[in-house]
Amino acid sequence: MCGIAGITALSAAARDPSREELGRMGRALLHRGPDALGLYAEGPLGLAHTRLSIIDLTGGRQPMSDGRRVIAYNGEVFNYVELRAELVARGRRFSTESDTEVVLQAWAEWGEDSLLRFNGQFAFALWDKLEKTLTLVRDRLGVRPVHTCVHAGRLYFASEAKAIFAANRDIPRALDPRGIDETFTFWSPIAPRTAFVAVDELPPGHLRTYRIGSTAPSERQWFSPRFPKRSERTSVGNVEDAINVVSDALMRAVRLRMLRADVPVGAYLSGGLDSSLVAALAQKATQRFSTFSIRFDDAEYDETPFQRLVANALGTDHHELLVRREDIARALPSVVRHAERPMLRTAPAPLYLLSGLVHHAGIKVVLTGEGADEVFAGYDLFREGKVRRFWARHPHSTMRPRLLDRLYPYLARSPVAQRAMARKFFGRDLDRANVPGFAHGPRWQGAHAMKRLFSRELRAELEGFDAKSELLAILPSEIPEWSPLAQDQWIEMRTLLAGYLLSSQGDRMLMAHSVEGRFPFLDAEVVELACALPDDVKLRVLDEKHVLKRIASRFLPAEVARRKKQPYRAPDVLALTHPAARDYAEALLDRKEISHAGIFDPDAVRSLWGKCRSQIERGPLSNTDNMALTGVVSTQLLYDAFVANFEAPRDVAHATISHESPSHESLLDAVEVSA
């Protein structure tokens, strides 16, 4: 895995990029690729590449050129061996063993059509000297990021926004009100929007081409998840067939990700179904490998018994990290700097610390179970949507809403615990049960409670903006022809998966410590197969991920395969009110600091802060208060790091290329590690 960055002078009046500028961009991304830094500058185009060597350790250095084209590439194409053989048969010659060269040669052979042949997770920039074009590409579901900014006739792009800001201090670093509003609605900005006014993010499954002489790029979507129409018969007709087909596809996906690497590959192990199944399939592919788990000293979040049960059953070299409230508190400022967006949960912080443990164990690559809930319908949201649609057929029924009682058993303060309130909350808009977005409605409506914290100025800037309407406007034209579950899945992939799970909890936390994450459930074949499955194979009555549970029963202890879902969570307000966070939280939430940032209302924030501190030991706070305080603190941390006190890295010519700053070392030293 790597970091990519670059500058293109799009207009004749704009300066050509310098190696000094490119060096600053590369330095800002060294955490993504500490093994090598490569720069390329020729005329209007400059590229920077920081390399995490995983495939072809001695070759494959970047930027890479075939004479006509130059590429800076981040990610993996796991079927590169098969593609290489096909390209060799067509007369193409190779000088390295890297998948980077396969991507470059495939583009030369098939152009943009090559993207549909790639089974992987990638983002790249490709410069065509002959055509004078720069093409930016992002993978199907948005595993790897690409950010862009057009400023003063130049295009700046990078894996992370901090590299763009490092290149030119004149680029505005203001937070985007609409990006903040989307975060407090969907948990993250929705690409192309980011948390910053001047920076865009290429949406998943898109490519964008810039031509010298024009600041207006052309863009197209080359991939979007597609589901069968309600009238279509699916290729997999029943559960038994699905079990065999999906099991085989997952085994191939895991094997590709375990074996296509020239370094050791480990796996995250949460103790839940998804990561445990991945680990079990990995054990079939390679026998002995390392697993890594997070433990919590708060029993509500801890899954240690299940983690150890799976690790012992598989015989892995198991590593554990005990994460306490104070560890989350200390890590959060670094977490926000890496995430480059506000967060409504502290859950990324333990994952940030865990990737540090992986790095110190000498592992560069880990498999995770991310994506299973989206593509195989694992969330309570999908079950909740099914119950509400069933209820909507007879909205005056008193029995149908009682099915809500079967949801959220793992929450100390469940939204369905008080039936009268639950019926009022989940009973909204039942007359819109056939409209896309219906299942997500309660969450989107519930977000409005947090927006009471917005300042008068921010509200004025948001006048006329409706995040939900903008999202619904980009839904596929054929989505009304899909089943309600398929509609819910598509929206969840485009919002929570791409914007939060693969970014704030995924790429950014892993790459903060130079670790590559690989996601078998997001394999191109697996995703296509999952989308084509009948609904009742995935969500059977109210049994989520039914087909995966049936597969898991073949490989895992029954206690794990049949276990009730417990989503990964971490202490929020419990951590933010801990003394380890209180000093910086108190400073950030000072009336003067809140007013200076201009995002939140000082009185509303101080009221929330006082409420959280006074009530935290009396019992669990509401989900809204937990998310609201986390959102405010993380937004203020973001403002402090990127707007008020941004520091560009030293010039690369005077810097030592090393893995991490001492602050990351000290954070890991502060938590408890066992193996």
Side-chain angles (χ1 to χ4, degrees):
M1 200 53 57
C2 309
I4 62 173
I7 304 172
T8 307
L10 297 175
S11 69
R15 289 184 297 108
D16 288 344
S18 68
R19 294 183 71 85
E20 290 73 21
E21 292 172 305
L22 297 170
R24 288 198 298 273
M25 298 183 88
R27 178 66 191 175
L29 298 175
L30 279 176
H31 55 282
R32 297 186 68 90
D35 296 333
L37 171 61
L39 304 179
Y40 172 91
E42 183 179 15
L45 186 279
L47 297 173
H49 185 271
T50 61
R51 188 181 185 206
L52 181 64
S53 303
I54 292 173
I55 294 175
D56 190 6
L57 305 186
T58 58
R61 293 182 178 176
Q62 299 185 53
M64 183 180 289
S65 176
D66 65 0
R68 172 178 168 176
R69 302 167 189 85
V70 187
I71 190 171
Y73 164 74
N74 166 30
E76 313 288 356
V77 170
F78 298 111
N79 62 331
Y80 76 98
V81 174
E82 293 77 12
L83 289 172
R84 178 189 172 108
E86 187 176 352
L87 289 163
V88 167
R90 297 174 72 92
R92 296 207 164 261
R93 298 180 179 180
F94 289 80
S95 58
T96 75
E97 299 297 322
S98 69
D99 63 328
T100 304
E101 188 176 11
V102 171
V103 172
L104 190 59
Q105 295 267 30
W107 190 276
E109 183 72 26
W110 298 303
E112 294 179 7
D113 291 342
S114 62
L115 297 175
L116 291 172
R117 297 172 178 261
F118 296 162
N119 185 357
Q121 48 191 51
F122 50 83
F124 62 84
L126 191 141
W127 169 246
D128 190 314
K129 298 180 184 179
L130 183 62
E131 298 290 336
K132 299 295 183 185
T133 57
L134 178 77
T135 300
L136 302 177
V137 177
R138 192 175 183 195
D139 60 49
R140 285 172 169 81
L141 295 174
V143 177
R144 301 303 164 205
V146 185
H147 295 82
T148 66
C149 169
V150 175
H151 178 76
R154 299 170 109 198
L155 166 70
Y156 299 80
F157 65 89
S159 297
E160 300 179 14
K162 58 178 64 70
I164 293 173
F165 295 141
N168 186 344
R169 293 194 66 90
D170 291 334
I171 293 174
R173 297 193 310 276
L175 300 187
D176 184 356
R178 296 186 174 189
I180 301 299
D181 186 79
E182 287 187 344
T183 300
F184 278 76
T185 305
F186 309 123
W187 289 39
S188 78
I190 306 301
R193 187 167 285 118
T194 71
F196 304 106
V197 170
V199 178
D200 284 345
E201 184 176 22
L202 190 65
H206 279 238
L207 66 83
R208 186 183 299 164
T209 300
Y210 295 84
R211 186 174 299 275
I212 299 299
S214 172
T215 57
S218 62
E219 183 170 328
R220 77 173 181 89
Q221 185 173 25
W222 64 271
F223 176 83
S224 178
R226 288 292 182 264
F227 295 83
K229 297 178 181 178
R230 301 184 210 203
S231 59
E232 293 177 348
R233 293 179 62 87
T234 60
S235 57
V236 179
N238 58 58
V239 174
E240 298 304 322
D241 289 342
I243 291 170
N244 294 324
V245 173
V246 173
S247 181
D248 290 346
L250 278 175
M251 187 70 245
R252 287 191 293 272
V254 171
R255 287 184 63 85
L256 274 178
R257 285 155 182 78
M258 287 296 295
L259 302 180
R260 296 285 161 90
D262 297 327
V263 296
V265 178
Y268 279 177
L269 184 58
S270 71
L273 178 76
D274 308 330
S275 65
S276 298
L277 179 56
V278 166
L281 295 177
Q283 192 264 350
K284 298 295 181 185
T286 191
Q287 299 301 314
R288 193 74 176 176
F289 65 103
S290 296
T291 50
F292 300 86
S293 295
I294 297 169
R295 296 172 54 211
F296 289 102
D297 61 356
D298 285 283
E300 181 182 350
Y301 310 100
D302 189 55
E303 301 179 69
T304 300
F306 298 100
Q307 296 162 357
R308 291 177 177 175
L309 178 64
V310 175
N312 290 335
L314 300 181
T316 67
D317 296 321
H318 191 55
H319 305 256
E320 297 177 346
L321 189 71
L322 177 63
V323 177
R324 300 158 296 192
R325 300 174 187 180
E326 55 264 40
D327 302 320
I328 295 172
R330 293 189 184 101
L332 194 62
S334 293
V335 167
V336 172
R337 283 195 296 273
H338 280 286
E340 297 184 339
R341 62 190 66 195
M343 296 171 295
L344 302 185
R345 293 293 192 191
T346 63
L351 292 169
Y352 167 82
L353 294 168
L354 185 63
S355 71
L357 173 62
V358 172
H359 172 77
H360 284 276
I363 302 295
K364 285 187 173 183
V365 181
V366 290
L367 308 189
T368 88
E370 215 66 81
D373 287 314
E374 286 78 13
V375 299
F376 287 101
Y379 288 126
D380 277 313
L381 178 141
F382 301 131
R383 301 200 301 159
E384 177 190 300
K386 189 170 186 178
V387 169
R388 293 178 65 232
R389 290 185 178 103
F390 179 66
W391 181 8
R393 296 179 202 166
H394 297 280
H396 301 295
S397 170
T398 58
M399 295 300 295
R400 294 192 176 204
R402 294 188 66 174
L403 288 170
L404 294 168
D405 295 348
R406 297 174 62 178
L407 308 179
Y408 310 108
Y410 50 85
L411 289 179
R413 188 160 179 170
S414 171
V416 299
Q418 298 182 7
R419 286 184 177 174
M421 292 182 61
R423 292 186 183 192
K424 182 177 180 181
F425 180 74
F426 291 110
R428 298 174 180 173
D429 299 325
L430 293 182
D431 59 333
R432 298 177 58 81
N434 296 320
V435 176
F438 169 76
H440 294 77
R443 282 167 177 72
W444 296 345
Q445 292 164 354
H448 282 288
M450 293 188 288
K451 295 180 186 181
R452 73 185 188 280
L453 299 166
F454 288 174
S455 68
R456 183 181 305 135
E457 294 78 12
L458 187 73
R459 292 173 188 270
E461 292 191 66
L462 291 170
E463 187 69 33
F465 174 71
D466 182 14
K468 299 185 293 295
S469 296
E470 279 211 356
L471 173 65
L472 296 175
I474 67 170
L475 299 183
S477 59
E478 65 270 30
I479 200 169
E481 302 178 74
W482 300 344
S483 72
L485 177 61
Q487 296 175 14
D488 299 343
Q489 287 184 267
W490 193 98
I491 292 173
E492 201 72 351
M493 289 182 199
R494 189 65 175 83
T495 54
L496 189 73
L497 179 65
Y500 176 73
L501 295 175
L502 293 178
S503 180
S504 297
Q505 281 193 190
D507 175 87
R508 301 308 184 85
M509 298 304 103
L510 288 154
M511 295 306 294
H513 290 104
S514 308
V515 177
E516 174 184 293
R518 295 183 172 182
F519 313 99
F521 288 109
L522 299 181
D523 176 90
E525 180 190 5
V526 172
V527 171
E528 182 178 359
L529 175 60
C531 289
L533 290 175
D535 287 353
D536 66 351
V537 170
K538 292 177 284 189
L539 181 60
R540 197 167 188 83
V541 189
L542 291 181
D543 186 30
E544 79 282 356
K545 287 186 297 196
H546 180 77
V547 66
L548 290 189
K549 291 179 180 178
R550 295 283 298 276
I551 294 170
S553 66
R554 299 178 173 181
F555 302 100
L556 294 172
E559 299 94 321
V560 176
R562 298 173 185 170
R563 185 186 172 200
K564 293 290 185 182
K565 182 176 178 59
Q566 178 178 329
Y568 164 67
R569 298 176 300 127
D572 296 312
V573 171
L574 289 170
L576 296 175
T577 55
H578 190 277
R582 195 170 294 164
D583 286 346
Y584 70 74
E586 186 64 56
L588 290 169
L589 302 183
D590 178 78
R591 291 180 185 275
K592 183 178 179 181
E593 292 299 317
I594 292 290
S595 297
H596 184 67
I599 301 163
F600 302 108
D601 177 79
D603 291 335
V605 168
R606 295 304 299 179
S607 176
L608 175 66
W609 180 231
K611 176 183 178 182
C612 290
R613 286 185 299 171
S614 64
Q615 293 188 6
I616 191 62
E617 298 302 334
R618 301 178 192 172
L621 288 162
S622 70
N623 294 322
T624 298
D625 286 341
N626 263 289
M627 291 193 293
L629 185 65
T630 308
V632 171
V633 172
S634 62
T635 302
Q636 290 296 114
L637 283 169
L638 186 73
Y639 179 86
D640 181 70
F642 286 94
V643 180
N645 297 298
F646 179 73
E647 293 184 9
R650 302 186 305 273
D651 288 343
V652 73
H654 304 292
T656 300
I657 299 178
S658 60
H659 169 62
E660 272 295 358
S661 67
S663 62
H664 295 110
E665 303 289 345
S666 62
L667 278 172
L668 186 61
D669 291 343
V671 298
E672 182 179 321
V673 179
S674 60

